[in-house]
């Protein structure tokens, strides 16, 4: 069974520097880092202390609230440092990787013969559970609460993001094994979305409901697809998994090894040769970025993730746990004289006032990080609704979050959204408000007060 999802509202941000569909092996990173902040809401309890030798897949820490939820090392090696910040908060576990990798043995499994509890226990013990996140609240899924459905979005619309069809090519067996396991974890359906005109490896999967999606960004966001297929009501839970994480889960089941390999798109106008690299979760971004060379090295911003939702990292920073894109664009630290009072041809805007990007729908832009304005009170323009494809009032929801109005947040549809769904409204916001941060804080408040 399949269903077409056609999204009309949104905005495609076409940028210079799309990754060429060629894959190279990245330079082997010396040090890998796992950051507990990548797992929102998790308070870590140390298992592997400084100086401990670990194999790939062995746990570094567990969740303080659930000792069964383990977070593994992506590589074998020595834990050389546990970085701490204010109040001794753990910021990162750094592992000096071995030249020859050693893997913890989790045994080959016949997923068809496993029941729900066996699949759940295996994913928890092997450290694969953090790949499963939930709506509402956009946090790691609670293993004690069964979801009404599971969603996988294989349709990529974020600017310069890695093409799911390309990175999954040749991984059909691993993906099918992971999908079979996920089917054991829900009484509902597993929904998989692909591009309407794509030749996706996800199209031929068994035991799934396939949806073809078309439309501008954020049509590829899983929240948009959930809202169109099986909306979330109060008290309901839906799980979501990223396509590349299915490969890690499937390989674990088929080989017994936790292989944290990632095919990462290195993209952006500041990259000389944008293409795909094969690396590991937590690798140093410099091992990827400087293999291809950069333009104007001293005046760039390196982002782990896409340009709308990613994290600004230093050259010695590390690839985020859930990221499969590294974006490198010019730093917007220049001043444009009278930039507010002249026609604009080199920037994207949904408005036709002074901005003429609408005349060139296929043009690609070389944008910087300049926000072209400063933070101010919300200005009511009605532009958010043009790029927000939910049956939700975005401005009213943002204001409800800003004043911690739980009743209004519930009534306005907070259960359906994640911070990434407000990346576009933040991008076009004339008030320069941090929409994603406002939504994240609102979701945290709801999780604490309502659960």
């Amino acid at each position: 069974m399949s269903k077409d999802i056609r999204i009309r509202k949104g905005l495609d941000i076409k940028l210079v520097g799309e990754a060429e569909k060629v894959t190279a092996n990245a330079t082997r990173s010396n040090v890998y880092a796992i950051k507990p902040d990548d797992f929102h809401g998790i308070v870590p309890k140390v298992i592997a202390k400084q100086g401990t030798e670990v194999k790939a897949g062995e746990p570094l820490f567990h969740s303080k609230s659930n000792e069964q939820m383990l977070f593994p090392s992506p590589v074998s090696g020595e834990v050389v440092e546990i970085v701490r910040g204010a109040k001794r908060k753990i910021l990162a576990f750094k592992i000096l990787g071995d030249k020859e990798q050693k893997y913890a043995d989790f045994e080959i499994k016949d997923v068809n013969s496993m029941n729900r509890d066996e699949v759940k226990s295996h994913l928890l013990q092997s450290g694969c559970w953090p790949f499963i996140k939930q709506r509402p609240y956009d946090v790691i899924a609670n293993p004690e609460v069964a979801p009404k459905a599971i969603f996988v979005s294989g349709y990529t619309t974020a600017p310069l993001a890695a093409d799911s069809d390309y990175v999954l090519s040749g991984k059909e067996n691993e993906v099918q094994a992971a999908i079979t396991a996920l089917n054991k974890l829900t009484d509902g359906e597993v929904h998989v979305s692909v591009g309407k005109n794509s030749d996706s490896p996800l199209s031929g999967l068994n035991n799934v409901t396939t949806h073809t999606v078309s439309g501008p960004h954020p049509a590829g966001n899983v929240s948009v697809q959930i809202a169109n297929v099986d909306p979330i009501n109060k008290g309901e839970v839906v799980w979501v998994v990223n396509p590349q994480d299915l490969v890690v889960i499937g390989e674990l089941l088929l080989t017994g090894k936790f292989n944290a390999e990632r095919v990462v798109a290195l993209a952006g106008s500041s990259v000389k040769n944008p293409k795909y690299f094969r690396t590991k979760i937590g690798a140093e971004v410099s091992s990827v970025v400087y293999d291809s060379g950069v333009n104007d090295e001293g005046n760039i911003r390196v982002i782990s993730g896409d340009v709308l939702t990613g994290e600004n990292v230093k050259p010695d920073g590390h690839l985020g746990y859930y990221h499969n894109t590294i974006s490198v664009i010019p730093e917007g630290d220049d001043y444009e004289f009278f930039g507010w009072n002249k026609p604009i041809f080199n920037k994207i805007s949904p408005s036709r006032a002074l901005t003429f990007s609408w005349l060139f729908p296929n043009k690609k832009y070389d944008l910087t990080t300049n926000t072209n304005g400063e933070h101010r009170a919300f200005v009511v323009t009605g532009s958010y609704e043009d790029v927000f494809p939910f049956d939700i009032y975005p401005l009213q929801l943002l204001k409800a979050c800003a004043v911690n109005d739980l009743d209004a947040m519930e009534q306005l549809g907070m259960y359906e959204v994640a911070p990434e769904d407000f990346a576009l409204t933040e991008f076009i916001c004339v008030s320069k408000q941090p929409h994603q941060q406002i939504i994240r804080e609102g979701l945290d408040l709801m999780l604490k007060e309502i659960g």
Side-chain angles (χ1 to χ4, degrees):
M1 182 179 119
S2 69
K3 176 184 176 183
D4 287 342
I5 302 173
R6 185 177 182 185
I7 304 302
R8 298 182 181 276
K9 292 183 177 181
L11 178 67
D12 279 330
I13 302 173
K14 296 183 173 73
L15 300 181
V16 173
E18 183 178 350
E20 182 185 358
K21 290 182 179 176
V22 174
T23 303
N25 291 322
T27 302
R28 188 178 65 84
S29 180
N30 291 319
V31 177
Y32 298 79
I34 296 299
K35 297 171 287 184
D37 280 352
D38 285 347
F39 314 105
H40 191 80
I42 295 295
V43 178
K45 295 292 287 185
V46 176
I47 295 176
K49 297 180 180 179
Q50 187 169 326
T52 303
E53 292 282 345
V54 294
K55 294 179 180 179
E58 290 185 342
L60 298 172
F61 61 95
H62 66 77
S63 169
K64 183 178 180 180
S65 61
N66 185 348
E67 292 186 4
Q68 291 183 306
M69 194 177 292
L70 304 176
F71 297 81
S73 172
V75 294
S76 65
E78 180 187 355
V79 180
V80 291
E81 185 180 7
I82 298 177
V83 183
R84 294 182 182 268
K87 299 182 180 179
R88 296 200 41 87
K89 177 184 177 181
I90 298 175
L91 302 180
F93 290 78
K94 291 191 174 182
I95 305 101
L96 180 63
D98 293 333
K99 290 184 179 179
E100 295 294 329
Q101 287 296 297
K102 307 179 190 71
Y103 294 88
D105 184 9
F106 294 105
E107 300 180 359
I108 297 172
K109 298 289 184 181
D110 179 10
V111 69
N112 291 302
S113 64
M114 299 172 74
N115 61 35
R116 177 179 298 183
D117 290 338
E118 289 172 338
V119 171
K120 185 189 301 182
S121 176
H122 190 58
L123 294 181
L124 285 166
Q125 291 172 7
S126 62
C128 280
W129 193 265
F131 291 129
I132 305 174
K133 301 181 82 172
Q134 73 168 51
R135 300 287 194 277
Y137 308 130
D138 190 34
V139 293
I140 294 174
N142 180 355
E144 304 304 320
V145 180
K148 69 169 183 173
I150 299 175
F151 280 77
V152 178
S153 174
Y155 181 51
T156 306
T157 56
L160 300 180
D163 187 313
S164 294
D165 296 349
Y166 178 73
V167 300
L168 294 178
S169 179
K171 297 294 185 179
E172 289 83 357
N173 291 337
E174 290 86 348
V175 172
Q176 183 61 69
I179 289 292
T180 303
L182 292 178
N183 261 296
K184 307 274 186 174
L185 299 176
T186 179
D187 293 327
E189 298 180 74
V190 176
H191 299 273
V192 173
S193 64
V194 298
K196 187 171 184 179
N197 299 313
S198 71
D199 183 19
S200 173
L202 299 175
S203 299
L205 296 175
N206 300 320
N207 304 317
V208 299
T209 300
T210 304
H211 304 272
T212 55
V213 187
S214 60
H217 186 63
N221 285 8
V222 70
S223 300
V224 175
Q225 296 159 22
I226 294 171
N228 280 270
V229 175
D230 193 1
I232 303 170
N233 298 309
K234 184 176 181 179
E236 295 178 336
V237 173
V238 166
W239 290 353
V240 301
V241 185
N242 292 329
Q244 273 209 74
D245 297 338
L246 291 175
V247 176
V248 181
I249 295 172
E251 191 163 346
L252 172 84
L253 295 166
L254 295 174
T255 68
K257 295 179 180 179
F258 180 88
N259 182 7
E261 187 174 279
R262 276 273 191 272
V263 177
V264 175
L266 175 64
S269 60
S270 291
V271 180
K272 290 181 179 178
N273 299 298
K275 58 184 176 182
Y276 288 80
F277 285 89
R278 191 174 290 106
T279 184
K280 298 268 189 179
I281 292 171
E284 294 169 306
V285 295
S286 59
S287 67
V288 175
V289 172
Y290 297 103
D291 270 7
S292 278
V294 295
N295 303 313
D296 192 14
E297 185 174 323
N299 198 36
I300 59 173
R301 180 174 296 188
V302 180
I303 302 166
S304 177
D306 68 71
V307 295
L308 292 179
T309 64
E311 174 190 1
N312 182 12
V313 295
K314 303 296 182 184
D316 60 348
H318 296 264
L319 179 67
Y321 199 82
Y322 297 103
H323 294 154
N324 59 6
T325 303
I326 297 175
S327 308
V328 188
I329 59 176
E331 188 67 69
D333 54 4
D334 56 314
Y335 177 75
E336 188 174 351
F337 191 61
F338 282 120
W340 54 273
N341 194 32
K342 63 182 182 182
I344 301 170
F345 292 91
N346 59 348
K347 295 175 184 174
I348 300 172
S349 172
S351 170
R352 296 191 176 190
L354 290 178
T355 307
F356 294 91
S357 59
W358 57 275
L359 290 173
F360 312 100
N362 296 316
K363 180 179 177 179
K364 292 186 177 182
Y365 295 85
D366 182 4
L367 301 185
T368 72
T369 63
N370 199 317
T371 59
N372 301 299
E374 60 185 5
H375 183 275
R376 60 182 73 87
F378 274 114
V379 176
V380 181
T381 62
S383 58
Y384 299 162
E385 289 78 6
D386 293 335
V387 299
F388 194 71
F390 294 84
D391 190 17
I392 290 173
Y393 295 113
L395 178 59
Q396 287 81 346
L397 182 54
L398 286 163
K399 288 184 174 181
C401 291
V403 298
N404 296 335
D405 188 339
L406 287 170
D407 289 338
M409 288 154 66
E410 277 193 307
Q411 294 167 7
L412 288 167
M414 192 69 166
Y415 291 116
E416 294 194 62
V417 298
E420 66 178 14
D421 301 317
F422 282 78
L424 262 185
T425 62
E426 183 176 311
F427 175 75
I428 68 168
C429 181
V430 297
S431 304
K432 313 304 173 186
Q433 290 279 349
H435 294 198
Q436 295 179 78
Q437 178 184 333
I438 292 170
I439 294 298
R440 180 71 270 170
E441 291 172 355
L443 288 169
D444 290 346
L445 179 66
M446 289 187 72
L447 180 58
K448 177 182 177 182
E449 298 294 336
I450 301 173

